[in-house]
Amino acid sequence: IRMRSLQAASKELASHNRKLVTHPLSDDRVPFTKEMKATHTILVPQFAPYQTSIAEAALRASGYQVEVLKQASRENIDYGLSVVNNDACFPAIVVIGQLVSALKSGKYDLDHTTL
């Protein structure tokens, strides 16, 4: 199904006479330091309740501030669908929608939040 979808998208793109626009990749990553443990909240999406609770406990025991984003809402899924390419797998769409929605909620200090 994915190959057919990719082929159909390629065919459709080739039929348009549009100039390809590229954007340079950015490598502006900020390394997570030991000092950030005390000041940053790590947002963790809910993958599977059992495994996520183990990861949460391990991170907390190691001194990290962790917040697990519990169940994704329909709004999170809709938001994920609006910002992620349709060819992405559904779990990726849900997780991205959940994380971006959390960041946009205003609940978190964006300068002290890590994904």
Side-chain angles (χ1 to χ4, degrees), residues 43-92:
L43 298 183
V44 178
Q46 179 69 265
F47 293 112
Y50 182 73
Q51 290 85 346
T52 304
S53 64
I54 292 172
E56 178 184 17
L59 288 166
R60 285 189 193 281
S62 298
Y64 292 96
Q65 297 178 50
V66 178
E67 183 166 336
V68 174
L69 303 173
K70 298 300 179 192
Q71 192 160 349
S73 68
R74 181 66 208 177
E75 290 79 26
N76 295 152
I77 295 167
D78 289 340
Y79 190 74
L81 287 168
S82 74
V83 297
V84 178
N85 184 305
N86 228 7
D87 286 336
C89 68
F90 187 70

Side-chain angles (χ1 to χ4, degrees), residues 1-112:
I1 292 175
R2 290 207 183 279
M3 285 304 293
R4 279 185 270 150
S5 177
L6 178 62
Q7 288 171 336
S10 296
K11 227 182 244 186
E12 182 179 338
L13 185 62
S15 70
H16 298 287
N17 291 327
R18 290 186 274 170
K19 182 180 177 191
L20 180 63
V21 177
T22 59
H23 301 279
L25 294 176
S26 171
D27 195 16
D28 295 337
R29 290 179 272 179
V30 177
F32 195 90
T33 64
K34 289 181 182 181
E35 294 78 24
M36 292 171 134
K37 270 183 161 183
T39 61
H40 280 65
T41 299
I42 301 173
L43 298 183
V44 178
Q46 179 69 265
F47 293 112
Y50 182 73
Q51 290 85 346
T52 304
S53 64
I54 292 172
E56 178 184 17
L59 288 166
R60 285 189 193 281
S62 298
Y64 292 96
Q65 297 178 50
V66 178
E67 183 166 336
V68 174
L69 303 173
K70 298 300 179 192
Q71 192 160 349
S73 68
R74 181 66 208 177
E75 290 79 26
N76 295 152
I77 295 167
D78 289 340
Y79 190 74
L81 287 168
S82 74
V83 297
V84 178
N85 184 305
N86 228 7
D87 286 336
C89 68
F90 187 70
I93 291 169
V94 172
V95 167
I96 292 167
Q98 192 177 24
L99 289 170
V100 175
S101 294
L103 292 174
K104 291 183 73 139
S105 72
K107 181 178 177 184
Y108 304 99
D109 175 0
L110 299 183
D111 292 326
H112 294 95

